[in-house]
PDB file of all heavy atoms in Angstrom:
ATOM      1  N   GLU A   1       0.826  -1.207   0.000  1.00  0.00           N
ATOM      2  CA  GLU A   1       0.000   0.000   0.000  1.00  0.00           C
ATOM      3  C   GLU A   1       0.865   1.265   0.000  1.00  0.00           C
ATOM      4  O   GLU A   1       0.578   2.232  -0.722  1.00  0.00           O
ATOM      5  CB  GLU A   1      -0.929   0.010   1.208  1.00  0.00           C
ATOM      6  CG  GLU A   1      -2.028  -1.036   1.181  1.00  0.00           C
ATOM      7  CD  GLU A   1      -1.551  -2.424   1.599  1.00  0.00           C
ATOM      8  OE1 GLU A   1      -0.393  -2.536   2.074  1.00  0.00           O
ATOM      9  OE2 GLU A   1      -2.326  -3.390   1.432  1.00  0.00           O
ATOM     10  N   TRP A   2       1.930   1.283   0.798  1.00  0.00           N
ATOM     11  CA  TRP A   2       2.786   2.460   0.842  1.00  0.00           C
ATOM     12  C   TRP A   2       3.680   2.552  -0.381  1.00  0.00           C
ATOM     13  O   TRP A   2       3.977   3.651  -0.861  1.00  0.00           O
ATOM     14  CB  TRP A   2       3.607   2.473   2.123  1.00  0.00           C
ATOM     15  CG  TRP A   2       2.794   2.941   3.291  1.00  0.00           C
ATOM     16  CD1 TRP A   2       2.329   2.197   4.333  1.00  0.00           C
ATOM     17  CD2 TRP A   2       2.295   4.265   3.504  1.00  0.00           C
ATOM     18  NE1 TRP A   2       1.570   2.972   5.189  1.00  0.00           N
ATOM     19  CE2 TRP A   2       1.547   4.245   4.716  1.00  0.00           C
ATOM     20  CE3 TRP A   2       2.428   5.471   2.808  1.00  0.00           C
ATOM     21  CZ2 TRP A   2       0.923   5.395   5.210  1.00  0.00           C
ATOM     22  CZ3 TRP A   2       1.807   6.611   3.311  1.00  0.00           C
ATOM     23  CH2 TRP A   2       1.064   6.566   4.498  1.00  0.00           C
ATOM     24  N   THR A   3       4.107   1.413  -0.929  1.00  0.00           N
ATOM     25  CA  THR A   3       4.836   1.448  -2.198  1.00  0.00           C
ATOM     26  C   THR A   3       3.949   2.031  -3.291  1.00  0.00           C
ATOM     27  O   THR A   3       4.396   2.852  -4.102  1.00  0.00           O
ATOM     28  CB  THR A   3       5.310   0.050  -2.585  1.00  0.00           C
ATOM     29  OG1 THR A   3       6.281  -0.404  -1.632  1.00  0.00           O
ATOM     30  CG2 THR A   3       5.948   0.044  -3.967  1.00  0.00           C
ATOM     31  N   ALA A   4       2.674   1.614  -3.308  1.00  0.00           N
ATOM     32  CA  ALA A   4       1.742   2.157  -4.295  1.00  0.00           C
ATOM     33  C   ALA A   4       1.593   3.667  -4.133  1.00  0.00           C
ATOM     34  O   ALA A   4       1.507   4.410  -5.126  1.00  0.00           O
ATOM     35  CB  ALA A   4       0.388   1.470  -4.170  1.00  0.00           C
ATOM     36  N   ALA A   5       1.557   4.138  -2.896  1.00  0.00           N
ATOM     37  CA  ALA A   5       1.429   5.577  -2.658  1.00  0.00           C
ATOM     38  C   ALA A   5       2.648   6.329  -3.196  1.00  0.00           C
ATOM     39  O   ALA A   5       2.519   7.408  -3.800  1.00  0.00           O
ATOM     40  CB  ALA A   5       1.250   5.846  -1.167  1.00  0.00           C
ATOM     41  N   ILE A   6       3.841   5.778  -2.993  1.00  0.00           N
ATOM     42  CA  ILE A   6       5.055   6.410  -3.510  1.00  0.00           C
ATOM     43  C   ILE A   6       5.063   6.381  -5.029  1.00  0.00           C
ATOM     44  O   ILE A   6       5.404   7.377  -5.693  1.00  0.00           O
ATOM     45  CB  ILE A   6       6.294   5.713  -2.927  1.00  0.00           C
ATOM     46  CG1 ILE A   6       6.399   5.984  -1.412  1.00  0.00           C
ATOM     47  CG2 ILE A   6       7.571   6.168  -3.634  1.00  0.00           C
ATOM     48  CD1 ILE A   6       7.455   5.173  -0.702  1.00  0.00           C
ATOM     49  N   ARG A   7       4.681   5.256  -5.609  1.00  0.00           N
ATOM     50  CA  ARG A   7       4.633   5.169  -7.070  1.00  0.00           C
ATOM     51  C   ARG A   7       3.603   6.132  -7.648  1.00  0.00           C
ATOM     52  O   ARG A   7       3.850   6.798  -8.669  1.00  0.00           O
ATOM     53  CB  ARG A   7       4.314   3.728  -7.479  1.00  0.00           C
ATOM     54  CG  ARG A   7       5.475   2.776  -7.307  1.00  0.00           C
ATOM     55  CD  ARG A   7       5.085   1.330  -7.558  1.00  0.00           C
ATOM     56  NE  ARG A   7       6.268   0.483  -7.648  1.00  0.00           N
ATOM     57  CZ  ARG A   7       6.233  -0.845  -7.689  1.00  0.00           C
ATOM     58  NH1 ARG A   7       5.061  -1.482  -7.633  1.00  0.00           N
ATOM     59  NH2 ARG A   7       7.354  -1.535  -7.773  1.00  0.00           N
ATOM     60  N   ASP A   8       2.452   6.225  -7.014  1.00  0.00           N
ATOM     61  CA  ASP A   8       1.415   7.146  -7.501  1.00  0.00           C
ATOM     62  C   ASP A   8       1.911   8.584  -7.468  1.00  0.00           C
ATOM     63  O   ASP A   8       1.680   9.362  -8.408  1.00  0.00           O
ATOM     64  CB  ASP A   8       0.149   7.009  -6.659  1.00  0.00           C
ATOM     65  CG  ASP A   8      -0.587   5.698  -6.901  1.00  0.00           C
ATOM     66  OD1 ASP A   8      -0.274   5.033  -7.909  1.00  0.00           O
ATOM     67  OD2 ASP A   8      -1.447   5.337  -6.076  1.00  0.00           O
ATOM     68  N   PHE A   9       2.575   8.951  -6.373  1.00  0.00           N
ATOM     69  CA  PHE A   9       3.102  10.312  -6.265  1.00  0.00           C
ATOM     70  C   PHE A   9       4.142  10.584  -7.353  1.00  0.00           C
ATOM     71  O   PHE A   9       4.103  11.629  -8.021  1.00  0.00           O
ATOM     72  CB  PHE A   9       3.721  10.537  -4.886  1.00  0.00           C
ATOM     73  CG  PHE A   9       4.466  11.831  -4.770  1.00  0.00           C
ATOM     74  CD1 PHE A   9       3.788  13.018  -4.563  1.00  0.00           C
ATOM     75  CD2 PHE A   9       5.858  11.863  -4.883  1.00  0.00           C
ATOM     76  CE1 PHE A   9       4.474  14.224  -4.478  1.00  0.00           C
ATOM     77  CE2 PHE A   9       6.553  13.065  -4.797  1.00  0.00           C
ATOM     78  CZ  PHE A   9       5.856  14.253  -4.594  1.00  0.00           C
ATOM     79  N   ALA A  10       5.090   9.655  -7.538  1.00  0.00           N
ATOM     80  CA  ALA A  10       6.139   9.851  -8.537  1.00  0.00           C
ATOM     81  C   ALA A  10       5.563   9.924  -9.948  1.00  0.00           C
ATOM     82  O   ALA A  10       6.050  10.695 -10.790  1.00  0.00           O
ATOM     83  CB  ALA A  10       7.168   8.724  -8.439  1.00  0.00           C
ATOM     84  N   ALA A  11       4.517   9.147 -10.209  1.00  0.00           N
ATOM     85  CA  ALA A  11       3.882   9.178 -11.524  1.00  0.00           C
ATOM     86  C   ALA A  11       3.113  10.476 -11.734  1.00  0.00           C
ATOM     87  O   ALA A  11       3.199  11.120 -12.795  1.00  0.00           O
ATOM     88  CB  ALA A  11       2.949   7.981 -11.669  1.00  0.00           C
ATOM     89  N   ARG A  12       2.348  10.860 -10.735  1.00  0.00           N
ATOM     90  CA  ARG A  12       1.492  12.052 -10.845  1.00  0.00           C
ATOM     91  C   ARG A  12       2.314  13.334 -10.911  1.00  0.00           C
ATOM     92  O   ARG A  12       2.047  14.225 -11.717  1.00  0.00           O
ATOM     93  CB  ARG A  12       0.541  12.096  -9.658  1.00  0.00           C
ATOM     94  CG  ARG A  12      -0.432  13.253  -9.658  1.00  0.00           C
ATOM     95  CD  ARG A  12      -1.370  13.182  -8.462  1.00  0.00           C
ATOM     96  NE  ARG A  12      -0.672  13.404  -7.201  1.00  0.00           N
ATOM     97  CZ  ARG A  12      -0.383  12.453  -6.312  1.00  0.00           C
ATOM     98  NH1 ARG A  12      -0.732  11.207  -6.551  1.00  0.00           N
ATOM     99  NH2 ARG A  12       0.247  12.753  -5.188  1.00  0.00           N
ATOM    100  N   LYS A  13       3.344  13.420 -10.083  1.00  0.00           N
ATOM    101  CA  LYS A  13       4.088  14.668  -9.953  1.00  0.00           C
ATOM    102  C   LYS A  13       5.209  14.789 -10.972  1.00  0.00           C
ATOM    103  O   LYS A  13       5.500  15.889 -11.466  1.00  0.00           O
ATOM    104  CB  LYS A  13       4.667  14.750  -8.533  1.00  0.00           C
ATOM    105  CG  LYS A  13       5.319  16.066  -8.178  1.00  0.00           C
ATOM    106  CD  LYS A  13       4.303  17.151  -7.924  1.00  0.00           C
ATOM    107  CE  LYS A  13       4.998  18.414  -7.402  1.00  0.00           C
ATOM    108  NZ  LYS A  13       4.025  19.503  -7.209  1.00  0.00           N
ATOM    109  N   PHE A  14       5.859  13.679 -11.314  1.00  0.00           N
ATOM    110  CA  PHE A  14       7.064  13.757 -12.135  1.00  0.00           C
ATOM    111  C   PHE A  14       7.019  12.884 -13.391  1.00  0.00           C
ATOM    112  O   PHE A  14       8.005  12.829 -14.129  1.00  0.00           O
ATOM    113  CB  PHE A  14       8.289  13.386 -11.303  1.00  0.00           C
ATOM    114  CG  PHE A  14       8.472  14.271 -10.095  1.00  0.00           C
ATOM    115  CD1 PHE A  14       8.208  13.794  -8.830  1.00  0.00           C
ATOM    116  CD2 PHE A  14       8.878  15.588 -10.245  1.00  0.00           C
ATOM    117  CE1 PHE A  14       8.369  14.603  -7.714  1.00  0.00           C
ATOM    118  CE2 PHE A  14       9.037  16.407  -9.137  1.00  0.00           C
ATOM    119  CZ  PHE A  14       8.776  15.922  -7.864  1.00  0.00           C
ATOM    120  N   GLY A  15       5.922  12.194 -13.620  1.00  0.00           N
ATOM    121  CA  GLY A  15       5.762  11.445 -14.859  1.00  0.00           C
ATOM    122  C   GLY A  15       6.459  10.107 -14.921  1.00  0.00           C
ATOM    123  O   GLY A  15       6.589   9.529 -16.012  1.00  0.00           O
ATOM    124  N   PHE A  16       6.908   9.573 -13.799  1.00  0.00           N
ATOM    125  CA  PHE A  16       7.510   8.236 -13.815  1.00  0.00           C
ATOM    126  C   PHE A  16       6.451   7.183 -14.132  1.00  0.00           C
ATOM    127  O   PHE A  16       5.305   7.272 -13.675  1.00  0.00           O
ATOM    128  CB  PHE A  16       8.124   7.897 -12.451  1.00  0.00           C
ATOM    129  CG  PHE A  16       9.415   8.585 -12.161  1.00  0.00           C
ATOM    130  CD1 PHE A  16       9.438   9.772 -11.442  1.00  0.00           C
ATOM    131  CD2 PHE A  16      10.615   8.049 -12.600  1.00  0.00           C
ATOM    132  CE1 PHE A  16      10.633  10.405 -11.165  1.00  0.00           C
ATOM    133  CE2 PHE A  16      11.821   8.681 -12.326  1.00  0.00           C
ATOM    134  CZ  PHE A  16      11.823   9.868 -11.610  1.00  0.00           C
ATOM    135  N   GLU A  17       6.831   6.176 -14.906  1.00  0.00           N
ATOM    136  CA  GLU A  17       5.989   4.992 -14.997  1.00  0.00           C
ATOM    137  C   GLU A  17       6.028   4.279 -13.652  1.00  0.00           C
ATOM    138  O   GLU A  17       7.072   4.208 -13.003  1.00  0.00           O
ATOM    139  CB  GLU A  17       6.478   4.063 -16.107  1.00  0.00           C
ATOM    140  CG  GLU A  17       6.351   4.641 -17.503  1.00  0.00           C
ATOM    141  CD  GLU A  17       6.759   3.653 -18.573  1.00  0.00           C
ATOM    142  OE1 GLU A  17       6.978   2.468 -18.218  1.00  0.00           O
ATOM    143  OE2 GLU A  17       6.874   4.061 -19.737  1.00  0.00           O
ATOM    144  N   ARG A  18       4.891   3.739 -13.238  1.00  0.00           N
ATOM    145  CA  ARG A  18       4.832   3.132 -11.910  1.00  0.00           C
ATOM    146  C   ARG A  18       5.797   1.954 -11.790  1.00  0.00           C
ATOM    147  O   ARG A  18       6.387   1.737 -10.724  1.00  0.00           O
ATOM    148  CB  ARG A  18       3.400   2.688 -11.592  1.00  0.00           C
ATOM    149  CG  ARG A  18       2.421   3.854 -11.521  1.00  0.00           C
ATOM    150  CD  ARG A  18       1.014   3.412 -11.193  1.00  0.00           C
ATOM    151  NE  ARG A  18       0.864   3.204  -9.752  1.00  0.00           N
ATOM    152  CZ  ARG A  18       0.908   2.057  -9.140  1.00  0.00           C
ATOM    153  NH1 ARG A  18       1.119   0.943  -9.850  1.00  0.00           N
ATOM    154  NH2 ARG A  18       0.757   1.953  -7.826  1.00  0.00           N
ATOM    155  N   ASP A  19       5.976   1.189 -12.870  1.00  0.00           N
ATOM    156  CA  ASP A  19       6.908   0.053 -12.821  1.00  0.00           C
ATOM    157  C   ASP A  19       8.363   0.487 -12.856  1.00  0.00           C
ATOM    158  O   ASP A  19       9.257  -0.355 -12.740  1.00  0.00           O
ATOM    159  CB  ASP A  19       6.635  -0.904 -13.987  1.00  0.00           C
ATOM    160  CG  ASP A  19       5.452  -1.816 -13.714  1.00  0.00           C
ATOM    161  OD1 ASP A  19       4.921  -1.771 -12.588  1.00  0.00           O
ATOM    162  OD2 ASP A  19       5.056  -2.568 -14.627  1.00  0.00           O
ATOM    163  N   ALA A  20       8.598   1.795 -13.026  1.00  0.00           N
ATOM    164  CA  ALA A  20       9.967   2.318 -13.022  1.00  0.00           C
ATOM    165  C   ALA A  20      10.316   2.927 -11.671  1.00  0.00           C
ATOM    166  O   ALA A  20      11.291   3.670 -11.558  1.00  0.00           O
ATOM    167  CB  ALA A  20      10.139   3.350 -14.126  1.00  0.00           C
ATOM    168  N   VAL A  21       9.530   2.602 -10.640  1.00  0.00           N
ATOM    169  CA  VAL A  21       9.784   3.079  -9.287  1.00  0.00           C
ATOM    170  C   VAL A  21       9.967   1.864  -8.385  1.00  0.00           C
ATOM    171  O   VAL A  21       9.091   0.991  -8.319  1.00  0.00           O
ATOM    172  CB  VAL A  21       8.626   3.960  -8.772  1.00  0.00           C
ATOM    173  CG1 VAL A  21       8.896   4.400  -7.336  1.00  0.00           C
ATOM    174  CG2 VAL A  21       8.427   5.164  -9.678  1.00  0.00           C
ATOM    175  N   ALA A  22      11.094   1.794  -7.691  1.00  0.00           N
ATOM    176  CA  ALA A  22      11.392   0.685  -6.777  1.00  0.00           C
ATOM    177  C   ALA A  22      11.686   1.243  -5.389  1.00  0.00           C
ATOM    178  O   ALA A  22      12.423   2.225  -5.260  1.00  0.00           O
ATOM    179  CB  ALA A  22      12.585  -0.117  -7.286  1.00  0.00           C
ATOM    180  N   VAL A  23      11.114   0.604  -4.365  1.00  0.00           N
ATOM    181  CA  VAL A  23      11.282   1.066  -2.996  1.00  0.00           C
ATOM    182  C   VAL A  23      11.917  -0.062  -2.182  1.00  0.00           C
ATOM    183  O   VAL A  23      11.272  -1.074  -1.874  1.00  0.00           O
ATOM    184  CB  VAL A  23       9.941   1.483  -2.362  1.00  0.00           C
ATOM    185  CG1 VAL A  23      10.176   2.094  -0.993  1.00  0.00           C
ATOM    186  CG2 VAL A  23       9.202   2.467  -3.265  1.00  0.00           C
ATOM    187  N   HIS A  24      13.181   0.129  -1.840  1.00  0.00           N
ATOM    188  CA  HIS A  24      13.935  -0.862  -1.060  1.00  0.00           C
ATOM    189  C   HIS A  24      14.053  -0.388   0.383  1.00  0.00           C
ATOM    190  O   HIS A  24      14.270   0.794   0.645  1.00  0.00           O
ATOM    191  CB  HIS A  24      15.332  -1.029  -1.664  1.00  0.00           C
ATOM    192  CG  HIS A  24      16.275  -1.825  -0.821  1.00  0.00           C
ATOM    193  ND1 HIS A  24      16.048  -3.141  -0.463  1.00  0.00           N
ATOM    194  CD2 HIS A  24      17.472  -1.491  -0.231  1.00  0.00           C
ATOM    195  CE1 HIS A  24      17.047  -3.583   0.273  1.00  0.00           C
ATOM    196  NE2 HIS A  24      17.913  -2.602   0.433  1.00  0.00           N
ATOM    197  N   VAL A  25      13.876  -1.302   1.329  1.00  0.00           N
ATOM    198  CA  VAL A  25      14.183  -1.004   2.727  1.00  0.00           C
ATOM    199  C   VAL A  25      15.318  -1.929   3.174  1.00  0.00           C
ATOM    200  O   VAL A  25      15.388  -3.084   2.747  1.00  0.00           O
ATOM    201  CB  VAL A  25      12.959  -1.164   3.652  1.00  0.00           C
ATOM    202  CG1 VAL A  25      11.875  -0.161   3.313  1.00  0.00           C
ATOM    203  CG2 VAL A  25      12.402  -2.568   3.606  1.00  0.00           C
ATOM    204  N   VAL A  26      16.193  -1.405   4.022  1.00  0.00           N
ATOM    205  CA  VAL A  26      17.379  -2.174   4.400  1.00  0.00           C
ATOM    206  C   VAL A  26      17.086  -3.176   5.506  1.00  0.00           C
ATOM    207  O   VAL A  26      17.958  -3.915   5.932  1.00  0.00           O
ATOM    208  CB  VAL A  26      18.540  -1.252   4.825  1.00  0.00           C
ATOM    209  CG1 VAL A  26      18.961  -0.353   3.677  1.00  0.00           C
ATOM    210  CG2 VAL A  26      18.171  -0.436   6.059  1.00  0.00           C
ATOM    211  N   GLN A  27      15.853  -3.215   6.007  1.00  0.00           N
ATOM    212  CA  GLN A  27      15.390  -4.171   7.013  1.00  0.00           C
ATOM    213  C   GLN A  27      16.046  -3.951   8.374  1.00  0.00           C
ATOM    214  O   GLN A  27      16.430  -4.902   9.056  1.00  0.00           O
ATOM    215  CB  GLN A  27      15.605  -5.619   6.544  1.00  0.00           C
ATOM    216  CG  GLN A  27      14.701  -6.606   7.260  1.00  0.00           C
ATOM    217  CD  GLN A  27      15.081  -8.045   7.002  1.00  0.00           C
ATOM    218  OE1 GLN A  27      15.995  -8.339   6.241  1.00  0.00           O
ATOM    219  NE2 GLN A  27      14.382  -8.962   7.638  1.00  0.00           N
ATOM    220  N   CYS A  28      16.144  -2.703   8.766  1.00  0.00           N
ATOM    221  CA  CYS A  28      16.745  -2.361  10.049  1.00  0.00           C
ATOM    222  C   CYS A  28      15.766  -2.664  11.182  1.00  0.00           C
ATOM    223  O   CYS A  28      14.665  -2.130  11.216  1.00  0.00           O
ATOM    224  CB  CYS A  28      17.121  -0.891  10.050  1.00  0.00           C
ATOM    225  SG  CYS A  28      17.793  -0.333  11.590  1.00  0.00           S
ATOM    226  N   HIS A  29      16.171  -3.511  12.135  1.00  0.00           N
ATOM    227  CA  HIS A  29      15.293  -3.940  13.228  1.00  0.00           C
ATOM    228  C   HIS A  29      15.283  -2.970  14.409  1.00  0.00           C
ATOM    229  O   HIS A  29      14.737  -3.300  15.462  1.00  0.00           O
ATOM    230  CB  HIS A  29      15.701  -5.337  13.708  1.00  0.00           C
ATOM    231  CG  HIS A  29      15.207  -6.441  12.819  1.00  0.00           C
ATOM    232  ND1 HIS A  29      15.594  -6.544  11.511  1.00  0.00           N
ATOM    233  CD2 HIS A  29      14.359  -7.469  13.048  1.00  0.00           C
ATOM    234  CE1 HIS A  29      15.020  -7.615  10.976  1.00  0.00           C
ATOM    235  NE2 HIS A  29      14.262  -8.180  11.877  1.00  0.00           N
ATOM    236  N   SER A  30      15.858  -1.807  14.235  1.00  0.00           N
ATOM    237  CA  SER A  30      15.737  -0.743  15.232  1.00  0.00           C
ATOM    238  C   SER A  30      15.132   0.489  14.573  1.00  0.00           C
ATOM    239  O   SER A  30      15.579   1.615  14.790  1.00  0.00           O
ATOM    240  CB  SER A  30      17.103  -0.423  15.849  1.00  0.00           C
ATOM    241  OG  SER A  30      17.543  -1.498  16.650  1.00  0.00           O
ATOM    242  N   ALA A  31      14.104   0.251  13.787  1.00  0.00           N
ATOM    243  CA  ALA A  31      13.429   1.309  13.038  1.00  0.00           C
ATOM    244  C   ALA A  31      11.965   0.917  12.850  1.00  0.00           C
ATOM    245  O   ALA A  31      11.597  -0.246  13.008  1.00  0.00           O
ATOM    246  CB  ALA A  31      14.107   1.504  11.679  1.00  0.00           C
ATOM    247  N   PRO A  32      11.116   1.879  12.512  1.00  0.00           N
ATOM    248  CA  PRO A  32       9.711   1.554  12.239  1.00  0.00           C
ATOM    249  C   PRO A  32       9.529   0.889  10.879  1.00  0.00           C
ATOM    250  O   PRO A  32      10.484   0.719  10.110  1.00  0.00           O
ATOM    251  CB  PRO A  32       9.017   2.931  12.266  1.00  0.00           C
ATOM    252  CG  PRO A  32      10.030   3.888  12.803  1.00  0.00           C
ATOM    253  CD  PRO A  32      11.377   3.313  12.495  1.00  0.00           C
ATOM    254  N   SER A  33       8.286   0.545  10.604  1.00  0.00           N
ATOM    255  CA  SER A  33       7.864   0.066   9.283  1.00  0.00           C
ATOM    256  C   SER A  33       6.848   1.042   8.696  1.00  0.00           C
ATOM    257  O   SER A  33       6.136   1.719   9.432  1.00  0.00           O
ATOM    258  CB  SER A  33       7.214  -1.313   9.374  1.00  0.00           C
ATOM    259  OG  SER A  33       8.132  -2.285   9.812  1.00  0.00           O
ATOM    260  N   MET A  34       6.780   1.074   7.387  1.00  0.00           N
ATOM    261  CA  MET A  34       5.700   1.791   6.717  1.00  0.00           C
ATOM    262  C   MET A  34       4.639   0.751   6.356  1.00  0.00           C
ATOM    263  O   MET A  34       4.768   0.029   5.372  1.00  0.00           O
ATOM    264  CB  MET A  34       6.200   2.525   5.473  1.00  0.00           C
ATOM    265  CG  MET A  34       7.073   3.724   5.779  1.00  0.00           C
ATOM    266  SD  MET A  34       7.588   4.637   4.305  1.00  0.00           S
ATOM    267  CE  MET A  34       6.023   5.406   3.802  1.00  0.00           C
ATOM    268  N   GLY A  35       3.601   0.664   7.174  1.00  0.00           N
ATOM    269  CA  GLY A  35       2.533  -0.293   6.935  1.00  0.00           C
ATOM    270  C   GLY A  35       2.521  -1.413   7.948  1.00  0.00           C
ATOM    271  O   GLY A  35       3.488  -1.658   8.670  1.00  0.00           O
ATOM    272  N   GLN A  36       1.410  -2.102   7.965  1.00  0.00           N
ATOM    273  CA  GLN A  36       1.095  -3.125   8.958  1.00  0.00           C
ATOM    274  C   GLN A  36       1.631  -4.475   8.491  1.00  0.00           C
ATOM    275  O   GLN A  36       1.125  -5.048   7.531  1.00  0.00           O
ATOM    276  CB  GLN A  36      -0.430  -3.172   9.097  1.00  0.00           C
ATOM    277  CG  GLN A  36      -0.943  -3.766  10.364  1.00  0.00           C
ATOM    278  CD  GLN A  36      -2.414  -3.406  10.556  1.00  0.00           C
ATOM    279  OE1 GLN A  36      -2.806  -2.266  10.385  1.00  0.00           O
ATOM    280  NE2 GLN A  36      -3.214  -4.387  10.909  1.00  0.00           N
ATOM    281  N   ILE A  37       2.651  -5.016   9.176  1.00  0.00           N
ATOM    282  CA  ILE A  37       3.325  -6.213   8.661  1.00  0.00           C
ATOM    283  C   ILE A  37       3.127  -7.449   9.522  1.00  0.00           C
ATOM    284  O   ILE A  37       3.489  -8.550   9.104  1.00  0.00           O
ATOM    285  CB  ILE A  37       4.834  -5.963   8.485  1.00  0.00           C
ATOM    286  CG1 ILE A  37       5.491  -5.714   9.845  1.00  0.00           C
ATOM    287  CG2 ILE A  37       5.101  -4.829   7.524  1.00  0.00           C
ATOM    288  CD1 ILE A  37       6.989  -5.778   9.816  1.00  0.00           C
ATOM    289  N   MET A  38       2.577  -7.310  10.731  1.00  0.00           N
ATOM    290  CA  MET A  38       2.477  -8.459  11.627  1.00  0.00           C
ATOM    291  C   MET A  38       1.078  -9.070  11.613  1.00  0.00           C
ATOM    292  O   MET A  38       0.868 -10.143  11.055  1.00  0.00           O
ATOM    293  CB  MET A  38       2.866  -8.048  13.050  1.00  0.00           C
ATOM    294  CG  MET A  38       4.339  -7.738  13.218  1.00  0.00           C
ATOM    295  SD  MET A  38       5.378  -9.205  13.063  1.00  0.00           S
ATOM    296  CE  MET A  38       6.983  -8.526  13.483  1.00  0.00           C
ATOM    297  N   LEU A  39       0.121  -8.387  12.241  1.00  0.00           N
ATOM    298  CA  LEU A  39      -1.228  -8.934  12.396  1.00  0.00           C
ATOM    299  C   LEU A  39      -2.261  -7.965  11.848  1.00  0.00           C
ATOM    300  O   LEU A  39      -2.040  -6.753  11.809  1.00  0.00           O
ATOM    301  CB  LEU A  39      -1.513  -9.226  13.875  1.00  0.00           C
ATOM    302  CG  LEU A  39      -0.574 -10.211  14.573  1.00  0.00           C
ATOM    303  CD1 LEU A  39      -0.940 -10.335  16.046  1.00  0.00           C
ATOM    304  CD2 LEU A  39      -0.598 -11.578  13.895  1.00  0.00           C
ATOM    305  N   SER A  40      -3.404  -8.507  11.453  1.00  0.00           N
ATOM    306  CA  SER A  40      -4.470  -7.676  10.898  1.00  0.00           C
ATOM    307  C   SER A  40      -5.314  -7.080  12.021  1.00  0.00           C
ATOM    308  O   SER A  40      -5.118  -7.361  13.205  1.00  0.00           O
ATOM    309  CB  SER A  40      -5.352  -8.516   9.975  1.00  0.00           C
ATOM    310  OG  SER A  40      -6.150  -9.406  10.745  1.00  0.00           O
ATOM    311  N   ASP A  41      -6.310  -6.300  11.620  1.00  0.00           N
ATOM    312  CA  ASP A  41      -7.189  -5.644  12.591  1.00  0.00           C
ATOM    313  C   ASP A  41      -8.331  -6.544  13.062  1.00  0.00           C
ATOM    314  O   ASP A  41      -9.187  -6.089  13.821  1.00  0.00           O
ATOM    315  CB  ASP A  41      -7.779  -4.368  11.986  1.00  0.00           C
ATOM    316  CG  ASP A  41      -6.734  -3.291  11.791  1.00  0.00           C
ATOM    317  OD1 ASP A  41      -5.755  -3.282  12.548  1.00  0.00           O
ATOM    318  OD2 ASP A  41      -6.896  -2.460  10.877  1.00  0.00           O
TER     319      ASP A  41
END
């Protein structure tokens, strides 16, 4: 969901194709996450 939000912004604002946007996280375990990764509501 958050990757989609970043891709949508890059496409809307700067004309990137959505498949030309990649979002990598380094998996740092002393940092937050963007989005719900453990359990649902």
Side-chain angles (χ1 to χ4, degrees):
E1 291 80 9
W2 281 108
T3 294
I6 292 171
R7 286 173 169 171
D8 289 345
F9 171 80
R12 182 178 68 254
K13 187 75 173 177
F14 302 107
F16 285 95
E17 294 184 9
R18 296 181 81 261
D19 280 354
V21 178
V23 186
H24 170 61
V25 296
V26 298
Q27 202 191 357
C28 177
H29 281 62
S30 291
S33 296
M34 289 183 71
Q36 201 164 314
I37 65 167
M38 290 291 186
L39 301 177
S40 72
D41 291 332

